Amino acid sequence: MRVNKKYSCLPAEEKGIHIINIRAIEDIGYDQHESTLLNSLSKNPDADCKYGLYFRDGKRKVDYILVYHYKKSSAGRTLTRRVHHNDSSARSTKQDQPLPGKGVQLEMGESEPHVDYHEDDKRFRREEYEGNLVEAGLELERDEDTKIHGIGFVKIHAPWNVLCREAEFLKLKMPTKKMYQINQTHGLLKKINSVIQKITEPIQPKVAEHKPQTVKRLSYPFSREKQHLFDLSDRDSFFDSKTRSTIVSITSLLANGVYSAAYPLHDGDYEGENVEPNDRKLLCEEWASYGVFYKYQPIDLVRKYFGEKIGLYFAWLGVYTQMLIPASIVGIIVFLYGCATVDENIPSMEMCDQRNNITMCPLCDRTCSYWKMSSACATARASHLFDNPATVFFSVFMALWAATFMEHWKRKQMRLNYRWDLTGFEEEEDHPRAEYEAKVLEKSLRKEHKHKETDKEKLTWKDRFPAYLTNFVGIIFMVGLTFAIVFGVIIYRISTAAALAISSTPSGRSSVRVTVTATAVIINLVVIIILDEVYGCIARWLTQIEVPKTDKNFEERLIFKAFLLKFVNAYTPIFYVAFFKGRFVGRPGDYVYIFHSFRMEECAPGGCLMELCIQLSIIMLGKQLIQNNLFEIGIPKMKKFIRYMKLKRRRSLDHEEHMKKKQRYEVDYNLEPFAGLTPEYMEMIIQFGFVTLFVASFPLAPLFALLNNIIEIRLDAKKFVTELRRPVAVRAKDIGIWYNILRGIGKLAVIINAFVISFTSDFIPRLVYLYMYSENGTMHGFVNHTLSSFNVSDFQAGTAPNDPMDLGYEVQICRYKDYREPPWSENKYDISKDFWAVLAARLAFVIVFQNLVMFMSDFVDWIIPDIPKDISQQIHKEKVLMVEVFMREEQGKLQMLETWKDKDKKKGENCNNHSPRLSRSHSGSLSSCHSYPLDV
């Protein structure tokens, strides 16, 4: 046990063991208070305790549950074990007393089971540990007479003095008696706000916590010495269930199997005819339902029930979803602009014009023949939908949108901090993790064995070097594995394209490229989904072998590794199409080959942007539909069904017992354990990357993200309310490392979109042609300008088409997309000066676009204050009011002292004015006058 230094000097009754981080089980040695071992006698105990929400007496609320597996064991074995560990007979007698509640006892005629030393050891450690919790002031009650065979429950209740002690230790801000008016807007702003409230009233959730506040209670860190300042009119509700679970949360009991689960209880049932009103039911109706998808989230109620950390996640998700609405509208406008101007696009019209009779070079060796450019008409027209001048505007818009979103979230976060009394909150220093302390203990024992000093041992980088090396090698290997898989998909595309070109009919050859692209993307999607799960497990294992000191360090390192691996996994295929495909092809007669067999694949005549759009859309939509939604619905349902079947198989055949209503803690035990917010944040961060990083190629990405998030909010809400055990409430004032990751993605998006517009799309070549090479200032002739000529007689031996007459005429010159000298030039097939002009323009655009958009983003960041003006005024007002409260309190104390002094002075004067005879006869009175202040 770790005793808090703050209370170490107090008597045993007031010792403040930090209940939030009760860590070590090995060094327990406290006695149980006999006064807390209360027997619960009730005629109808299940009804009195509201089916598990209260102790058997129906008065003490269950704040926390510990779950353990047990087997019937020899009583003599247990007693022997206790006597062996405790020399004091008095101590053994105390430990023989069971916790109050229902336990399974051995009958006299029952045969003695087989002795299980491991089970006896765990039982002994549980009893010792529970005695330790009782020493800390908690009240416990055991229940082994449940419908779940072999499962025991320990109910924990924190009495008022423990709640006060721990609230003071944690510096929890609690409402005082002082109330003040919140500053309201005046004039035109007030009218605008009232109109907005009336318009948005149908989409507001019907919960009390969501109504606008006009008054607010002044909050102050709880102090037992200043209890008179706080609103204690209703002690039962002063510490709500979320706060009680924060105080009584016990974290490190599950590592060695002594306990199998630990969790706070849900408030009650969320469905049924005779269900009492509770916050869980209200959340299910007004939040965790698909029928209210159009409403705002009741964030304050979410925070009240689940705590600040989960409340901030859903608040962030709500802000992100709201901000996707304008981005989706602009993206739809850009897409519609492309649809409206596709028939006016001169380059696509030239490609579709069969009169141009442009003969293209074969796409593969021997088996592929020459083909007409007009056969790629559909691809060229589709490319214009996403590759048009409006795309550049949309890229700039999305960069500014990302900056605005980050600033808007910071302001929203400050409003929530003020509303939730977190303005002065500083995260307390985490206690070391049990795994870290075990490693330190192991190191100390090794040094003691070598007769070295062991003062304040800690793990250094030398101790962690093998783990760091394993992390580095493991991450490099995983990244290399991702690259290898992408390379394998490239080989598949090349070989499949060649095979389809041989076997396809002339009409089917035009769809070879689309078929190969679609199937390759589906393969990429399946691999990405599988590797995502694998990489998540590997990232956790790599973090565990590092042995981080605190839970916060563990979480941050895990997030970094998981994000790095999943980022590479999700975006590597997209990066290949955007920046590498078609760049290292070579030219006819001198192609680049892989393994001397497979020719590198080329981009379509309309460019690689259309293929990038297909790749991005399928991966994004597939991940959202399969991984984010089907997995989130299907896997918890499947786990719940498997757990139900196991419990049903172990359940007693007694019909009466089967029909008995389950206790609340039994029902919650059948729910899925809460695994943290990392998976929830991760899927949204990856989606944010799809929305911002390659938005130049897919303007509809924000729209699909918006539609997904509308479902995702309600899906996550339903999962938290109905499918998961209630998480322990955790205080937090921000979203942590995720904010820095979002900012990094926003900055990276500017650079990537600059390169996508410059190198992947034809935007820059068109500008160069329009202003440097066009004879009449139009785009007529652009397609011919981007194509180079090749003399078919210059094919390498064995690479020419097997059927040169496939088009019905003999081909002497074929065309290919590149800027090279013609075959009749002195430097035939060398890179032409047009290539260098376009390259210079592309690089110049990247530099100008990147710096201009970065400057605009920073300007948006600078011009929007992080803290809203009204919130800063309210925070200042709170500080002033708090000073006034304490000044009045001190003045009241001074007035009391002065009053007492005046009374004492008057009393003394009255006594001195008596005659000597009267004084002698009333000496007792005189002495009592002088002793008056002491009595007071």
Side-chain angles (χ1 to χ4, degrees):
M1 290 292 294
R2 178 176 289 102
V3 179
N4 225 329
K5 294 180 180 178
K6 183 174 180 180
Y7 304 107
S8 59
C9 60
L10 298 175
E13 295 79 24
E14 290 296 319
K15 280 186 179 178
I17 298 172
H18 191 187
I19 300 167
I20 286 186
N21 287 284
I22 302 178
R23 297 280 182 176
I25 300 180
E26 289 77 15
D27 54 351
I28 46 183
Y30 292 92
D31 296 335
Q32 298 182 8
H33 286 302
E34 296 179 8
S35 59
T36 60
L37 304 177
L38 305 175
N39 292 321
S40 303
L41 300 175
S42 176
K43 294 181 180 179
N44 189 3
D46 289 344
D48 289 344
C49 67
K50 294 187 179 180
Y51 296 98
L53 288 174
Y54 287 81
F55 274 25
R56 288 281 156 187
D57 57 13
K59 298 178 181 179
R60 293 172 293 171
K61 188 174 183 180
V62 176
D63 297 317
Y64 210 72
I65 290 291
L66 300 179
V67 186
Y68 60 90
H69 294 270
Y70 70 89
K71 294 180 182 178
K72 294 180 180 180
S73 181
S74 170
R77 162 67 188 160
T78 308
L79 183 60
T80 304
R81 170 81 184 218
R82 288 174 181 162
V83 173
H84 176 73
H85 279 77
N86 302 277
D87 296 332
S88 172
S89 60
R91 178 168 172 76
S92 298
T93 303
K94 283 186 178 182
Q95 287 184 345
D96 288 339
Q97 296 180 359
L99 286 175
K102 295 184 290 184
V104 177
Q105 303 293 337
L106 287 174
E107 297 180 2
M108 295 298 294
E110 186 177 350
S111 61
E112 182 177 308
H114 176 69
V115 175
D116 189 338
Y117 294 94
H118 182 62
E119 283 298 320
D120 280 356
D121 180 69
K122 289 199 293 186
R123 183 182 300 106
F124 173 75
R125 299 175 79 174
R126 280 199 302 269
E127 291 171 357
E128 290 286 333
Y129 200 85
E130 289 159 9
N132 206 26
L133 296 180
V134 172
E135 275 294 321
L138 298 175
E139 297 176 3
L140 278 61
E141 186 177 78
R142 181 180 287 115
D143 185 3
E144 292 181 355
D145 185 17
T146 63
K147 295 185 70 174
I148 308 175
H149 179 70
I151 300 294
F153 297 90
V154 176
K155 296 174 278 188
I156 301 177
H157 168 76
W160 174 256
N161 61 332
V162 174
L163 292 172
C164 293
R165 184 186 69 205
E166 294 301 322
E168 181 177 357
F169 180 83
L170 294 173
K171 300 178 182 177
L172 293 179
K173 275 192 169 183
M174 304 303 294
T176 64
K177 298 176 182 177
K178 176 68 176 178
M179 301 182 70
Y180 67 96
Q181 290 282 338
I182 297 177
N183 293 339
Q184 302 292 323
T185 55
H186 301 283
L188 182 61
L189 286 176
K190 185 177 181 180
K191 293 181 180 178
I192 294 174
N193 288 338
S194 63
V195 171
I196 292 174
Q197 286 179 6
K198 290 180 181 179
I199 294 174
T200 59
E201 187 176 357
I203 60 176
Q204 300 291 345
K206 298 177 181 179
V207 297
E209 286 79 2
H210 198 75
K211 294 179 180 178
Q213 296 179 338
T214 56
V215 294
K216 186 176 184 292
R217 286 193 178 274
L218 192 63
S219 296
Y220 185 73
F222 188 81
S223 172
R224 288 178 291 179
E225 296 179 354
K226 293 181 170 56
Q227 287 192 34
H228 57 280
L229 295 178
F230 297 93
D231 182 21
L232 302 179
S233 55
D234 185 4
R235 285 194 174 192
D236 293 336
S237 62
F238 182 73
F239 294 108
D240 57 18
S241 57
K242 179 264 299 182
T243 307
R244 297 174 76 97
S245 72
T246 303
I247 291 175
V248 192
S249 60
I250 302 171
T251 55
S252 297
L253 304 174
L254 313 179
N256 51 12
V258 175
Y259 292 100
S260 58
Y263 51 89
L265 293 179
H266 280 292
D267 279 0
D269 293 325
Y270 59 89
E271 58 184 359
E273 296 180 358
N274 300 321
V275 176
E276 294 183 1
N278 58 73
D279 287 343
R280 189 187 187 193
K281 185 175 185 294
L282 187 59
L283 282 171
C284 188
E285 294 172 352
E286 294 294 329
W287 182 52
S289 173
Y290 296 109
V292 294
F293 73 92
Y294 60 92
K295 288 188 177 183
Y296 285 100
Q297 299 183 84
I299 292 298
D300 291 324
L301 184 59
V302 175
R303 173 254 180 178
K304 177 185 175 184
Y305 194 80
F306 291 109
E308 286 79 6
K309 192 170 185 178
I310 293 176
L312 280 173
Y313 163 70
F314 281 103
W316 173 83
L317 184 56
V319 170
Y320 172 46
T321 304
Q322 288 176 8
M323 289 294 292
L324 283 173
I325 295 175
S328 301
I329 293 173
V330 176
I332 292 172
I333 292 173
V334 170
F335 178 73
L336 293 177
Y337 171 82
C339 294
T341 58
V342 66
D343 292 329
E344 301 173 4
N345 184 39
I346 295 175
S348 62
M349 291 170 60
E350 289 183 347
M351 290 181 64
C352 294
D353 191 355
Q354 297 184 2
R355 295 174 297 178
N356 288 336
N357 197 27
I358 299 176
T359 303
M360 303 298 292
C361 295
L363 296 174
C364 61
D365 294 342
R366 295 186 300 277
T367 56
C368 298
S369 185
Y370 305 104
W371 56 284
K372 290 288 188 70
M373 174 170 275
S374 58
S375 64
C377 174
T379 306
R381 289 173 63 85
S383 296
H384 178 73
L385 302 179
F386 305 100
D387 187 6
N388 54 67
T391 303
V392 181
F393 159 76
F394 190 56
S395 299
V396 176
F397 171 81
M398 287 304 294
L400 298 179
W401 172 87
T404 307
F405 162 60
M406 301 304 295
E407 290 303 309
H408 178 47
W409 166 244
K410 282 197 291 187
R411 291 170 63 85
K412 177 69 174 180
Q413 192 171 254
M414 280 305 303
R415 288 189 181 278
L416 293 176
N417 285 341
Y418 164 71
R419 219 156 67 202
W420 298 347
D421 298 321
L422 295 171
T423 49
F425 168 69
E426 295 295 337
E427 293 186 6
E428 61 272 5
E429 183 181 355
D430 285 346
H431 288 268
R433 299 170 62 243
E435 293 83 354
Y436 178 85
E437 289 187 330
K439 284 287 184 182
V440 171
L441 179 61
E442 183 181 338
K443 181 180 178 181
S444 302
L445 292 175
R446 285 200 306 266
K447 287 200 172 185
E448 283 182 1
H449 184 68
K450 296 178 181 179
H451 304 288
K452 294 183 178 180
E453 295 183 359
T454 58
D455 293 339
K456 293 185 180 179
E457 283 295 335
K458 62 180 181 179
L459 297 184
T460 62
W461 69 270
K462 292 181 180 179
D463 301 316
R464 291 193 175 102
F465 180 74
Y468 289 155
L469 183 62
T470 305
N471 271 260
F472 178 76
V473 174
I475 290 175
I476 294 298
F477 175 77
M478 292 300 122
V479 173
L481 176 64
T482 304
F483 290 163
I485 291 173
V486 172
F487 183 73
V489 175
I490 294 171
I491 299 298
Y492 161 80
R493 293 159 67 115
I494 296 171
S495 58
T496 305
L500 290 176
I502 298 172
S503 59
S504 296
T505 60
S507 60
R509 290 174 188 170
S510 59
S511 61
V512 166
R513 189 183 297 273
V514 176
T515 304
V516 171
T517 299
T519 55
V521 172
I522 292 173
I523 293 173
N524 274 326
L525 174 63
V526 173
V527 171
I528 286 171
I529 291 174
I530 294 173
L531 286 184
D532 258 359
E533 303 301 320
V534 175
Y535 286 168
C537 299
I538 291 175
R540 179 168 292 275
W541 176 74
L542 291 175
T543 309
Q544 286 173 346
I545 65 174
E546 279 189 66
V547 196
K549 184 175 181 180
T550 63
D551 288 328
K552 184 179 180 181
N553 291 341
F554 181 90
E555 185 181 18
E556 289 180 350
R557 295 186 186 194
L558 173 62
I559 289 170
F560 175 76
K561 293 181 184 65
F563 173 75
L564 177 62
L565 293 174
K566 292 188 177 186
F567 182 90
V568 172
N569 181 41
Y571 295 114
T572 299
I574 301 173
F575 269 92
Y576 163 73
V577 174
F579 303 120
F580 296 98
K581 184 178 180 181
R583 310 290 174 193
F584 311 101
V585 178
R587 60 171 179 81
D590 188 22
Y591 283 113
V592 176
Y593 291 89
I594 301 174
F595 305 134
H596 304 286
S597 304
F598 300 105
R599 207 174 89 188
M600 289 293 292
E601 55 181 346
E602 305 176 42
C603 288
C608 275
L609 197 69
M610 183 61 194
E611 190 170 339
L612 177 61
C613 174
I614 295 174
Q615 185 102 1
L616 183 65
S617 59
I618 292 180
I619 291 178
M620 177 182 177
L621 296 178
K623 271 181 66 68
Q624 291 183 166
L625 180 64
I626 298 174
Q627 192 174 29
N628 298 357
N629 293 332
L630 292 182
F631 280 15
E632 286 194 12
I633 297 173
I635 291 180
K637 292 284 187 186
M638 184 176 64
K639 288 182 178 179
K640 187 177 179 180
F641 177 75
I642 293 172
R643 196 181 299 111
Y644 169 76
M645 294 303 295
K646 286 182 179 179
L647 294 174
K648 188 177 180 182
R649 197 177 299 118
R650 292 158 54 186
R651 197 173 281 161
S652 173
L653 298 177
D654 186 2
H655 181 71
E656 183 180 350
E657 182 69 18
H658 176 70
M659 296 304 293
K660 176 184 171 183
K661 184 175 179 180
K662 283 186 177 180
Q663 303 288 334
R664 176 79 263 152
Y665 43 84
E666 294 179 84
V667 177
D668 287 2
Y669 177 72
N670 292 330
L671 299 177
E672 187 71 14
F674 175 63
L677 289 172
T678 299
E680 313 298 336
Y681 273 113
M682 188 67 71
E683 65 185 61
M684 289 295 105
I685 297 298
I686 296 296
Q687 184 204 82
F688 182 77
F690 284 124
V691 169
T692 55
L693 291 179
F694 298 95
V695 73
S697 64
F698 190 39
L700 295 179
L703 174 63
F704 289 113
L706 173 64
L707 297 176
N708 173 81
N709 287 5
I710 291 174
I711 301 173
E712 179 73 20
I713 290 176
R714 307 304 165 180
L715 181 64
D716 283 349
K718 196 171 187 65
K719 182 174 68 174
F720 272 82
V721 173
T722 65
E723 300 290 338
L724 297 179
R725 294 173 190 162
R726 188 174 184 176
V728 175
V730 178
R731 291 189 302 165
K733 63 186 302 183
D734 52 41
I735 59 175
I737 192 175
W738 296 111
Y739 181 81
N740 297 328
I741 293 176
L742 285 169
R743 284 190 65 87
I745 291 177
K747 298 294 184 184
L748 183 63
V750 176
I751 301 171
I752 290 179
N753 280 305
F755 277 95
V756 167
I757 295 170
S758 182
F759 287 90
T760 308
S761 74
D762 284 337
F763 177 73
I764 299 301
R766 288 172 185 166
L767 285 181
V768 172
Y769 176 80
L770 184 65
Y771 292 106
M772 291 183 62
Y773 300 104
S774 178
E775 296 178 355
N776 53 7
T778 64
M779 293 301 296
H780 288 287
F782 169 73
V783 174
N784 186 63
H785 177 74
T786 59
L787 298 176
S788 299
S789 301
F790 177 75
N791 194 330
V792 297
S793 62
D794 294 332
F795 272 121
Q796 291 181 356
T799 60
N802 295 332
D803 185 11
M805 299 294 294
D806 184 58
L807 294 178
Y809 57 88
E810 184 180 359
V811 178
Q812 295 181 347
I813 299 292
C814 65
R815 310 295 296 275
Y816 61 99
K817 190 170 183 179
D818 204 349
Y819 292 100
R820 291 184 180 269
E821 297 291 342
W824 51 83
S825 173
E826 295 181 0
N827 303 316
K828 65 177 183 178
Y829 308 135
D830 284 351
I831 294 175
S832 66
K833 63 178 183 179
D834 297 343
F835 171 83
W836 299 109
V838 171
L839 179 62
R842 281 174 165 164
L843 294 175
F845 177 83
V846 168
I847 295 172
V848 173
F849 182 89
Q850 177 182 332
N851 286 279
L852 178 63
V853 175
M854 286 284 191
F855 169 77
M856 295 171 68
S857 300
D858 291 340
F859 179 74
V860 170
D861 191 359
W862 172 77
I863 201 172
I864 300 176
D866 294 345
I867 305 177
K869 186 177 180 181
D870 59 325
I871 296 299
S872 61
Q873 290 175 350
Q874 297 289 358
I875 293 173
H876 177 70
K877 184 177 181 179
E878 277 197 352
K879 292 179 180 178
V880 173
L881 289 174
M882 187 55 66
V883 171
E884 289 180 0
V885 168
F886 282 114
M887 288 293 291
R888 288 175 184 172
E889 185 183 7
E890 292 300 322
Q891 289 175 358
K893 289 180 180 179
L894 289 174
Q895 289 177 359
M896 275 179 105
L897 289 174
E898 290 176 358
T899 303
W900 288 345
K901 287 181 180 178
D902 291 342
K903 287 183 178 180
D904 180 45
K905 187 176 180 181
K906 291 179 181 179
K907 193 74 174 175
E909 290 177 355
N910 292 335
C911 291
N912 291 331
N913 290 334
H914 289 313
S915 62
R917 181 181 57 83
L918 195 61
S919 299
R920 283 194 300 269
S921 62
H922 294 84
S923 58
S925 299
L926 186 60
S927 62
S928 65
C929 292
H930 290 289
S931 64
Y932 175 76
L934 294 178
D935 293 337
V936 175

